[in-house]
């Protein structure tokens, strides 16, 4: 299938494959090391923690796809595009794991990349509305750059009024330390 | 601003319906909006000026001012509606923290899950009235996640029916950047329990550390502030040392395990029951930290829609930076992650509630699953949120470095979450340990069932 018809089931199966492989490889390494080294766990810990990370990624992928499948119909297109962007980007960024022993080919990775660019173009007109939909109140956002009305530059000039440095034209520290030196020069 | 209005007119979906979905339904959204209106109507609960302009003392003063004022607004504090309460506190104190932050986030939930019904009847009214300001002190200067090696001891003396709390070395000093040093008068202290000459491992104790009226440190308790932190400076960075400090036997939290008057230790029905509090906090953390990423992508996206830079076609004017694919690739994957992590955090809370119900019935078989899941999610989400906020900062160019963007505060707050409530790498290794058990057990079910399956195909069907 193409990235457009890559089903939820297939996605989950692919993540399960990669995660299972990462976990079992780490366990094999641990098993071998345990027979010879007292600090086997420590010597395998980087691979073990990476395997754990895959387990959590798999959980997130599974739960996100499952939750979106229960979303209202009119929201599904935008949510699915976002989910695919998250998932495809995860796969492309970790393509080595997906390509091990030829599980995925370079052509398939290219297909996923196309999926990412497609998703980004689809999201572009909706981007501001998606973040608006998070409904984060200005009190919480505490940001001149992110203000809802978009009036960033007038906002920045407002912000300058709070700076104590602007209370005096010449800073006290300048008068105290630099002015005497400059006068001597 | 016409540029941002133009963006809003392009939407291909119903924004309000998305908001409803994102916040888990209309009821929760309405409750949230009620809190927001309340804040809008009560200026005394808001900051006098933007907090980045405040010194540490001013920040603490500002937090206490709002906190003291909150007594008048107790209608917004309802422990039966933890969601509304935490949102209210979050909106009042945003990311500055305050002396009561840990009181609501950890002290009360741990008390609720670890105290016996009799203890709850005595302490909960005090804790809710505000006469008790509590925090949770498990970490020590020299020990974090490895609980079994905590140095603080609670040795039971059957003659007086008291526990003697003691800090044997400086590395055993309790260290908790959640108001332990200056503002709290009580703490739930985790110490290694010794009774009848035997160490029974770490257990939680209700401990008064300051006088309720004078607020002075009690005798044989030494405590103070270590100094400023990268963030959360509305609460102090406390340390606490006990010098053979005595507390009554009844101050051990005894829902699951007990020490009888003669010193006999009664084991909990399940060894991991004490982890309930940690799981609760981590389940809250995942959603909250995802929310920080949502804040950051909101800032970066809106700014990118009004900021114009470059003129690809001469004479056609500068373009919105959001139209550059590189800018989109900086922000959009993190918009997607913010949603994915929020969904995962919400689900974790659903599972936590389910497991809590089972625990009350004495059924603890799912506790290792959720303990591992909450540990792993906390570790992965906090780390990736941190990376996402940094990308959003870069997406805002030079202004992202300014506190005016709001991003430095989000970044500083979020990076703390990579180490508090368990260092991320240690947590990932706990997940790995859980996976080793799942792989070697004859049957794996639930979220580990895939480990016992075979790949359905040699190649991806993509």
């Amino acid at each position: 299938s193409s990235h457009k018809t890559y089903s939820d089931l297939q996605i989950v199966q692919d993540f399960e494959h990669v995660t299972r492989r990462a976990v079992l490889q780490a366990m094999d390494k641990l098993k071998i090391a345990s027979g010879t080294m007292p600090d086997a766990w420590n010597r395998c810990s980087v691979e073990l923690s990476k395997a754990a990370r895959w387990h959590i990624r798999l959980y997130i992928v599974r739960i996100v796809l499952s939750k979106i499948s229960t979303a209202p119909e009119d929201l599904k297109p935008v949510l699915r595009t976002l989910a695919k962007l998250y998932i495809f980007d995860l796969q492309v960024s970790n393509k080595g794991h997906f390509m091990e022993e030829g599980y995925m080919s370079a052509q398939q990775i290219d297909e996923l990349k196309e999926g990412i660019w497609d998703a980004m173009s689809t999201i572009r007109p909706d981007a501001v509305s998606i973040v608006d939909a998070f409904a984060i109140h200005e009190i919480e956002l505490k940001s001149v750059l992110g203000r809802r009305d978009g009036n960033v530059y007038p906002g920045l000039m407002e912000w300058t009024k709070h700076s104590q440095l602007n209370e005096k034209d010449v800073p006290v520290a300048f008068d105290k330390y630099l002015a005497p030196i400059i006068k001597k020069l | 601003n016409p540029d941002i209005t133009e963006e809003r007119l392009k939407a291909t979906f119903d924004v309000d319906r998305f908001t409803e979905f994102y916040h888990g339904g209309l009821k929760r959204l309405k409750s949230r909006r009620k809190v927001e209106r309340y804040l809008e109507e009560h200026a005394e609960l808001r900051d006098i000026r933007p907090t980045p302009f405040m010194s540490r003392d001013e920040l603490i003063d500002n937090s206490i001012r709002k906190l003291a004022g909150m007594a008048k607004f107790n209608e917004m504090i309802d422990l039966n509606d933890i969601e509304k309460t935490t949102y209210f506190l979050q909106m009042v104190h945003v990311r500055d923290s305050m002396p009561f932050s840990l009181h609501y986030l950890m002290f009360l939930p741990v008390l609720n899950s670890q105290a016996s019904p009799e203890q709850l009847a005595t302490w909960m009214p005090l804790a809710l009235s505000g006469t008790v300001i509590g925090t949770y002190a498990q970490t020590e200067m020299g020990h974090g996640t490895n609980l079994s090696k905590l140095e603080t001891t609670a040795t039971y003396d059957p003659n007086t029916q008291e526990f003697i709390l003691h800090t044997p070395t400086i590395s055993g000093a309790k260290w908790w950047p959640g108001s332990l040093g200056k503002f709290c008068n009580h703490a739930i202290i985790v110490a290694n329990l010794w009774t009848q000459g035997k160490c029974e491992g770490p257990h939680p104790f209700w401990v008064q550390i300051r006088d309720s009226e004078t607020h002075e440190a009690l005798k044989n308790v030494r405590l103070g502030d270590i100094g400023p932190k990268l963030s959360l400076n509305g609460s102090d960075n406390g340390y606490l040392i006990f010098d053979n400090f005595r507390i009554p036997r009844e101050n051990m939290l005894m829902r699951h395990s007990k020490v009888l008057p003669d010193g006999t230790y009664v084991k909990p029905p399940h060894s991991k029951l004490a982890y309930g509090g940690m799981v609760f906090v981590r389940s809250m953390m995942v959603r909250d930290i995802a929310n920080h990423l949502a804040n950051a992508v909101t800032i970066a996206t809106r700014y990118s829609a009004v900021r114009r830079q470059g003129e690809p076609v001469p004479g056609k004017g500068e373009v919105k930076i959001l139209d550059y694919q590189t800018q989109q690739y900086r922000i959009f994957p993190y918009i997607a992650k913010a949603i994915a992590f929020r969904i995962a955090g919400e689900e974790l809370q659903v599972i936590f509630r389910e497991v809590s119900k089972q625990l009350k019935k004495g059924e603890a078989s799912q506790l290792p699953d959720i303990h591992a899941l909450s540990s792993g999610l906390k570790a992965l989400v906090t780390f990736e949120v941190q990376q996402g906020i940094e990308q959003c900062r870069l997406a805002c160019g030079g202004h992202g470095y300014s506190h005016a963007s709001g991003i430095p505060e989000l970044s500083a707050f979020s990076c703390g979450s990579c180490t508090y409530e368990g260092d991320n790498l240690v947590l990932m290794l706990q997940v790995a340990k859980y996976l080793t058990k799942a792989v070697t057990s004859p049957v794996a079910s639930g979220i580990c069932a895939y480990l016992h399956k075979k790949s359905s195909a040699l190649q991806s069907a993509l």
Side-chain angles (χ1 to χ4, degrees), chain B residues 181-232:
Chain B
K182 287 288 169 189
F183 291 101
C184 290
N185 54 24
H186 283 70
I188 289 175
I189 300 288
V190 180
N192 262 315
L193 166 64
W194 284 82
T195 183
Q196 297 180 334
K198 195 177 164 204
C199 180
E200 300 291 356
H203 284 72
F205 297 84
W206 164 282
V207 185
Q208 181 169 355
I209 51 178
R210 285 182 178 272
D211 185 274
S212 300
E213 287 179 16
T214 64
H215 200 65
E216 286 170 3
L218 297 184
K219 201 178 163 212
N220 297 337
V221 172
R222 186 150 55 98
L223 70 180
D225 170 51
I226 292 175
K229 297 170 273 180
L230 184 57
S231 177
L232 298 162

Side-chain angles (χ1 to χ4, degrees), chain B residues 2-275:
Chain B
D3 281 337
I4 207 154
T5 303
E6 180 193 29
E7 295 295 330
R8 291 186 173 124
L9 294 171
K10 287 182 197 165
T12 63
F13 64 94
D14 184 328
V15 177
D16 289 337
R17 274 174 68 75
F18 194 120
T19 305
E20 208 178 301
F21 171 79
Y22 182 78
H23 286 286
L26 194 57
K27 195 180 161 199
R28 284 168 76 179
L29 187 58
K30 276 185 177 170
S31 163
R32 195 177 155 89
R33 298 229 154 114
K34 199 174 155 190
V35 171
E36 289 163 2
R37 267 199 307 279
Y38 198 87
L39 263 290
E40 285 163 6
E41 288 162 5
H42 293 85
E44 63 272 46
L45 289 174
R46 301 202 299 271
D47 297 324
I48 298 161
R49 66 173 192 280
T51 52
F53 289 102
M54 294 182 190
S55 67
R56 190 176 182 222
D57 282 349
E58 287 172 322
L59 204 55
I60 288 176
D61 191 87
N62 184 53
S63 288
I64 304 265
R65 175 187 64 79
K66 288 189 286 184
L67 185 65
M70 275 167 58
K72 285 186 281 180
F73 311 116
N74 57 10
E75 68 202 88
M76 303 305 282
I77 306 282
D78 176 7
L79 280 192
N80 292 317
D81 189 348
I82 197 82
E83 179 123 347
K84 181 179 147 196
T85 303
T86 49
Y87 186 51
F88 175 64
L89 293 169
Q90 181 193 329
M91 286 290 280
V92 175
H93 295 280
V94 195
R95 286 171 285 275
D96 298 316
S97 187
M98 50 102 177
F100 267 82
S101 295
L102 273 290
H103 181 86
Y104 290 108
L105 281 175
M106 291 194 77
F107 183 76
L108 292 182
V110 171
L111 192 63
N112 204 24
S113 65
Q114 304 291 326
S116 69
E118 299 78 32
Q119 289 175 322
L120 276 180
T122 310
W123 293 329
M124 203 44 119
L126 296 171
L128 291 176
S129 71
T131 51
V132 162
I133 310 173
T135 191
Y136 179 80
Q138 176 179 297
T139 306
E140 294 173 354
M141 296 256 201
H143 285 97
T145 323
N146 188 11
L147 286 187
S148 63
K149 293 295 174 192
L150 289 180
E151 293 181 69
T152 307
T153 51
T155 309
Y156 185 64
D157 177 357
N159 297 322
T160 58
Q161 297 194 9
E162 288 173 319
F163 285 103
I164 306 161
L165 289 172
H166 189 61
T167 310
T169 66
I170 289 294
S171 59
K174 288 292 172 191
W175 163 46
W176 194 239
S179 295
L180 175 68
K182 287 288 169 189
F183 291 101
C184 290
N185 54 24
H186 283 70
I188 289 175
I189 300 288
V190 180
N192 262 315
L193 166 64
W194 284 82
T195 183
Q196 297 180 334
K198 195 177 164 204
C199 180
E200 300 291 356
H203 284 72
F205 297 84
W206 164 282
V207 185
Q208 181 169 355
I209 51 178
R210 285 182 178 272
D211 185 274
S212 300
E213 287 179 16
T214 64
H215 200 65
E216 286 170 3
L218 297 184
K219 201 178 163 212
N220 297 337
V221 172
R222 186 150 55 98
L223 70 180
D225 170 51
I226 292 175
K229 297 170 273 180
L230 184 57
S231 177
L232 298 162
N233 279 310
S235 58
D236 66 68
N237 190 2
Y239 69 85
L240 165 69
I241 293 167
F242 293 111
D243 179 15
N244 291 302
F245 182 69
R246 287 176 173 264
I247 57 169
R249 180 186 68 91
E250 294 81 5
N251 282 24
M252 174 180 161
L253 300 188
M254 296 208 208
R255 170 167 290 181
H256 304 301
S257 46
K258 294 178 179 64
V259 169
L260 303 180
D262 67 354
T264 306
Y265 177 71
V266 181
K267 277 185 183 172
H270 189 287
S271 62
K272 289 196 167 51
L273 276 174
Y275 293 179

Side-chain angles (χ1 to χ4, degrees), chain A residues 155-176:
Chain A
L156 280 173
M157 291 315 292
E158 253 325 282
W159 176 266
T160 65
K161 291 179 185 166
H162 298 289
S163 173
Q164 291 95 325
L165 282 177
N166 291 333
E167 284 169 11
K168 283 188 76 179
D169 183 35
V170 177
V172 174
F174 184 89
D175 275 341
K176 196 171 165 186

